[in-house]
Amino acid sequence: MKLGSMVRARRTLAGVSAVLLAATLGATACSNSDEDGGGAATSPTTSLPGNAATGSPVKIGFISTEGGGVVSIPEWRQGAEAAVEYVNNNGGGFAGGHSIDLVVCKQAEEPTSATACANQMVEQKVAAVLTAGTSQGTAIVPIVGGAGIPYITLNGVSQLDVASPDSFALASGLPGTMTATATAAKAEGMKSMTIFASDGGGTAGIIEQLGKPIFEGFGIDLNVVAIALGVPDPTPLVASGLADNPDGISIIADAALCTSVMKAVQTTEPDINKVLNTVCLDKNVLDVVGVQAVEGNMGITATDVFSDRPDSVLYRSVMGQYAPDLSLTGAGSSGYQVLMAMVNATASVTGDVNAAAVKQAMQATDKVEMPAGGGITFSCNGSAFPMMPSICSTQLLYGVVDDQGIPRDLQLAG
């Protein structure tokens, strides 16, 4: 199946999808320093077993958001490649001992290259297509799904990501971000919150429609302030959002807008309580606004990097051996998670490992643990979020932000 006449419609959705991609990156670990705040040095690792895969190789596709002029995250691919090395060399393979032959295609976060990658996956007859996240699901899913290939994404962005029967969005995405933000706000005793949201393609309206009932369920009044893309100085909008003296704020935007909003908040009301996803805890943001602007506030993440949980110890050990130059708290964690989640989901598969077998295994998942997820589970049987049946989880983690901008002492929300 080719792109054909759907190009025009996809382009009209690009503004919404690109902003939602930034929003769902709140499910990615934060990247705050080359040394991970020193946490890696004090967190235990383990020797990896010499348990190589013995079964025949199975092609698994990985579409990497890489090389584009606006968004390029090669760390997602590198994290997945590290996980493949572990599965093949140390983890005994997947789905009955098969090794993984990772078929990588890089797309530039626009329809033409995304479509080319989708067609390549069909031509290569992969058993599944994986990605950490892309706004181009509308281009990819019809092609791979039409060929019977399951599309497994960590972060669901487009409508097809979260609604197609061929798609499995493992992380909780925007609904989970809303739930975790409300959970953290309630834990801090907040009764009202203002969210400053990028308004590319009307995204702020989507956030308000989804967020208000979630926050009401926690007894919190929610006000969403839309900030148009490209606004040179959001200070007047920030001031209006603070005029009613909310108990706290949050921001759903890309790093650039988060930086400008945070600067305005620091000027207008620096001591207000904040609940921030990891886009706003990124090193590039904190280099401008200062870590003191976020320290002691609540942060949201989907990756448990530093605890003593066995899956977190394994994550640190695998990355230390196969991707030592990647930050443990950086974007590589998402590539690792989506690859290892597919391995966990297909653990019971026997016989031929093909697209049909992988899809059936994904559809049967019920409370499967997310690797390095701090207890987060995913269920792709339609039970997690019935309004968006392809979303497989409602859970994220939240904790107090430390002096490196990293959420610690994580608790489960959702």
Side-chain angles (χ1 to χ4, degrees):
M1 179 178 179
K2 301 293 184 180
L3 183 63
S5 62
M6 298 180 71
V7 171
R8 193 169 12 249
R10 285 170 189 152
R11 285 176 177 163
T12 65
L13 294 173
V16 176
S17 294
V19 174
L20 288 180
L21 176 60
T24 56
L25 294 183
T28 303
C30 42
S31 179
N32 294 303
S33 74
D34 292 336
E35 301 299 328
D36 298 318
T42 58
S43 300
T45 58
T46 186
S47 298
L48 300 177
N51 183 21
T54 57
S56 58
V58 175
K59 288 183 178 181
I60 299 294
F62 190 89
I63 295 181
S64 180
T65 299
E66 190 169 350
V70 177
V71 181
S72 182
I73 312 176
E75 295 87 353
W76 282 348
R77 168 183 52 80
Q78 294 162 355
E81 289 171 341
V84 169
E85 292 288 341
Y86 164 74
V87 170
N88 290 348
N89 299 328
N90 313 102
F94 88 111
H98 293 273
S99 61
I100 295 174
D101 177 8
L102 195 67
V103 179
V104 174
C105 186
K106 301 173 184 178
Q107 61 89 18
E109 207 58 25
E110 47 76 37
T112 300
S113 60
T115 301
C117 280
N119 285 322
Q120 178 182 332
M121 296 302 160
V122 174
E123 292 163 3
Q124 290 287 319
K125 299 180 180 179
V126 299
V129 170
L130 276 57
T131 181
T134 174
S135 65
Q136 298 302 310
T138 314
I140 298 169
V141 174
I143 295 172
V144 300
I149 301 170
Y151 173 79
I152 304 171
T153 179
L154 189 65
N155 298 299
V157 179
S158 75
Q159 182 179 2
L160 288 182
D161 289 351
V162 298
S164 169
D166 301 309
S167 176
F168 304 92
L170 303 182
S172 56
L174 187 59
T177 298
M178 293 288 94
T179 300
T181 302
T183 302
K186 183 176 181 179
E188 292 292 283
M190 299 182 199
K191 299 295 184 182
S192 60
M193 171 170 275
T194 293
I195 292 180
F196 299 102
S198 295
D199 199 31
T203 308
I206 297 172
I207 291 170
E208 182 171 27
Q209 183 180 13
L210 180 65
K212 275 190 175 294
I214 292 174
F215 276 76
E216 287 174 1
F218 285 86
I220 301 171
D221 292 329
L222 177 63
N223 177 34
V224 177
V225 175
I227 301 179
L229 296 175
V231 169
D233 181 7
T235 300
L237 291 168
V238 170
S240 70
L242 298 174
D244 292 335
N245 298 313
D247 294 329
I249 66 156
S250 187
I251 305 167
I252 296 180
D254 61 14
L257 185 55
C258 187
T259 301
S260 60
V261 170
M262 287 283 287
K263 288 172 64 178
V265 169
Q266 289 304 101
T267 300
T268 307
E269 194 169 343
D271 295 329
I272 193 168
N273 288 328
K274 306 172 187 74
V275 180
L276 301 172
N277 67 45
T278 52
V279 175
C280 294
L281 297 176
D282 185 82
K283 180 180 185 297
N284 293 324
V285 176
L286 299 187
D287 281 349
V288 176
V289 304
V291 72
Q292 68 276 5
V294 301
E295 183 180 0
N297 289 279
M298 286 289 183
I300 297 170
T301 182
T303 310
D304 178 15
V305 174
F306 295 120
S307 81
D308 292 338
R309 289 176 55 92
D311 57 330
S312 295
V313 174
L314 178 63
Y315 166 69
R316 293 192 296 269
S317 304
V318 170
M319 298 297 277
Q321 179 158 332
Y322 292 115
D325 294 333
L326 287 185
S327 168
L328 287 175
T329 57
S333 63
S334 293
Y336 173 92
Q337 282 185 307
V338 70
L339 192 289
M340 293 297 293
M342 185 276 298
V343 171
N344 289 354
T346 57
S348 63
V349 172
T350 59
D352 291 338
V353 183
N354 51 31
V358 173
K359 184 175 182 179
Q360 184 176 12
M362 294 301 303
Q363 290 171 330
T365 53
D366 184 21
K367 294 183 173 60
V368 175
E369 280 210 4
M370 177 67 72
I376 291 173
T377 62
F378 61 91
S379 302
C380 299
N381 55 13
S383 63
F385 198 75
M387 290 174 57
M388 299 178 182
S390 296
I391 291 181
C392 301
S393 181
T394 60
Q395 299 174 320
L396 280 174
L397 307 169
Y398 68 96
V400 178
V401 178
D402 69 6
D403 60 1
Q404 300 294 321
I406 299 172
R408 299 279 191 160
D409 301 321
L410 299 173
Q411 300 182 62
L412 193 64

